[in-house]
Amino acid sequence: PFFVNHVCHFNLSHCDTAVACALDSAPVGVDVQDFRSVKSNVIRKVCSPEELLLLQQADRPEQLFASFWSGKEAYGKYTGEGIGYAMNEKSFCADGVLPSVAFEGNCMVQTDMHENFALSVCSGFKMQMQEIKERDLQLFLHLL
């Protein structure tokens, strides 16, 4: 999605425990993903061989998978491909260390962990994630 005058680009995501909105001066993708168990056929479609190995070794694989998924979905939103690309050919947290920052071509994918979900943002610029209150968002939108 975008504003007609292109002053600000944005992207939205939600899950059972969170809502996220990314705002940027250029295209941006965001995704939030709850920690939950996932079927093995989905895991194989989404994860690279390195990520599959990390999941097998993880103490909390549902958290790690949520970080993989959110990074890959944020990237797909940023590029406009959605989730139709070969997700298992990209690794945005190949070392298993979270939070993470990864680079793919000319964009950056940043993933942060929260109590119940993973949050990822993809942008063509170096970025800083920050939580804002509803009042601050209303003031920002008023400026547009």
Side-chain angles (χ1 to χ4, degrees), residues 65-141:
F65 179 79
S67 73
F68 296 156
W69 175 268
S70 67
K72 292 173 187 215
E73 188 159 347
Y75 173 79
K77 289 177 170 185
Y78 168 79
T79 64
E81 297 174 87
I83 59 172
Y85 71 98
M87 294 175 111
N88 60 0
E89 294 178 8
K90 304 274 184 209
S91 291
F92 297 123
C93 184
D95 61 3
V97 177
L98 297 168
S100 70
V101 173
F103 297 91
E104 176 63 33
N106 62 349
C107 67
M108 173 179 161
V109 178
Q110 182 175 335
T111 301
D112 286 345
M113 302 303 285
H114 295 266
E115 187 176 333
N116 298 310
F117 61 90
L119 167 66
S120 294
V121 179
C122 183
S123 173
F125 300 100
K126 186 176 180 180
M127 65 185 116
Q128 178 182 345
M129 287 191 212
Q130 71 182 62
E131 183 177 339
I132 61 171
K133 305 295 181 202
E134 181 180 352
R135 181 176 180 275
D136 296 329
L137 179 60
Q138 289 173 346
L139 289 172
F140 172 80
L141 292 174

Side-chain angles (χ1 to χ4, degrees), residues 35-51:
F35 302 147
R36 61 177 178 210
S37 60
V38 180
K39 295 180 181 179
S40 61
N41 63 328
V42 173
I43 291 172
R44 285 191 305 278
K45 270 188 149 172
V46 170
C47 295
S48 68
E50 299 84 10
E51 292 167 338

Side-chain angles (χ1 to χ4, degrees), residues 49-61 64 94-96:
E50 299 84 10
E51 292 167 338
L52 289 171
L53 183 60
L54 289 168
L55 283 172
Q56 291 171 354
Q57 300 168 349
D59 292 334
R60 301 202 53 203
L64 193 55
D95 61 3

